[in-house]
Amino acid sequence: MSSSQAGAGQHKRNDAADAGLSGVLDRNIRALYERRQREAAAESLESRVADTMTRFAGSMIFIYVHIVIFGLWIIANLGWVSGVPVWDPSFAVLAMVASVEAIFLSTFVLITQNRMAAAADKRADLDLQISLLAEHEVTRLGAVISDIATALNVQTKAQREIEPVKSDVEPESVLNRLEAQNDQE
């Protein structure tokens, strides 16, 4: 078999593997998208308003609008625009408006951050559950491999290395060891 034929054969196997993986990826991506759509639809009006305000406050348009408004306010109150009376010569009103705006903006940002932190906690819980399931499955696979090796009367170094994998890891014991390590530091 020539190297180009071997390469073509390898390419076909990769395509088959990618096709199987692609289906799983597509399913997972679709499930995540649909979940996010449902969660977005279930958000309260207040949450949507806070998210919208936070997105707007974090945009360059927000900066440009403020440059124009504050710039015009300052220029007009310095008396540089003829025909426009000075209404805030000490800029106290401008300072008050900016302070009130900062209070509301910081509140909107905090609301959004709290919601994002809750979503991050949910994702962390999901990651932990998936990791625990994967660990459980690997433990079971280790036991199956060990049983197969025993049934075939094969004693190998790999079988000895599988022995620790056959026992479940208790999450509480891992957390206890991590906490003990943190306490020592």
Side-chain angles (χ1 to χ4, degrees):
M1 180 182 332
S2 71
S3 63
S4 63
Q5 288 173 332
Q10 180 66 34
H11 183 68
K12 286 180 185 177
R13 282 191 295 275
N14 287 343
D15 287 346
D18 289 346
L21 184 59
S22 178
V24 172
L25 286 175
D26 288 343
R27 181 197 67 207
N28 291 345
I29 290 168
R30 192 171 36 259
L32 288 173
Y33 177 77
E34 289 169 0
R35 173 82 181 218
R36 286 187 180 162
Q37 292 295 90
R38 284 191 309 270
E39 288 174 354
E43 283 184 2
S44 67
L45 175 63
E46 293 86 5
S47 181
R48 289 194 304 270
V49 168
D51 287 346
T52 301
M53 290 301 299
T54 301
R55 271 194 308 280
F56 177 66
S59 70
M60 287 306 294
I61 292 173
F62 182 81
I63 299 296
Y64 300 144
V65 167
H66 279 74
I67 288 171
V68 169
I69 291 173
F70 289 173
L72 291 175
W73 188 302
I74 292 168
I75 290 170
N77 284 289
L78 287 174
W80 295 355
V81 179
S82 60
V84 176
V86 173
W87 70 89
D88 187 19
S90 67
F91 300 106
V93 176
L94 178 63
M96 182 192 65
V97 168
S99 296
V100 170
E101 179 186 45
I103 290 168
F104 281 104
L105 285 176
S106 62
T107 302
F108 287 131
V109 168
L110 287 172
I111 290 168
T112 300
Q113 285 180 334
N114 288 340
R115 192 184 55 70
M116 291 172 69
D121 287 345
K122 282 171 55 175
R123 282 192 298 273
D125 288 343
L126 176 62
D127 287 346
L128 174 61
Q129 290 303 319
I130 289 171
S131 294
L132 290 171
L133 287 170
E135 187 277 329
H136 177 74
E137 290 170 357
V138 167
T139 299
R140 296 299 148 243
L141 285 173
V144 168
I145 291 170
S146 180
D147 291 346
I148 291 170
T150 301
L152 294 176
N153 200 22
V154 177
Q155 185 69 358
T156 66
K157 178 184 173 192
Q159 187 180 8
R160 288 186 298 276
E161 291 175 357
I162 286 177
E163 286 303 315
V165 175
K166 290 174 25 180
S167 60
D168 281 318
V169 175
E170 295 179 6
E172 296 83 17
S173 63
V174 175
L175 289 172
N176 290 339
R177 287 186 68 182
L178 285 171
E179 287 173 357
Q181 180 65 34
N182 287 337
D183 290 343
Q184 289 178 359
E185 291 178 355

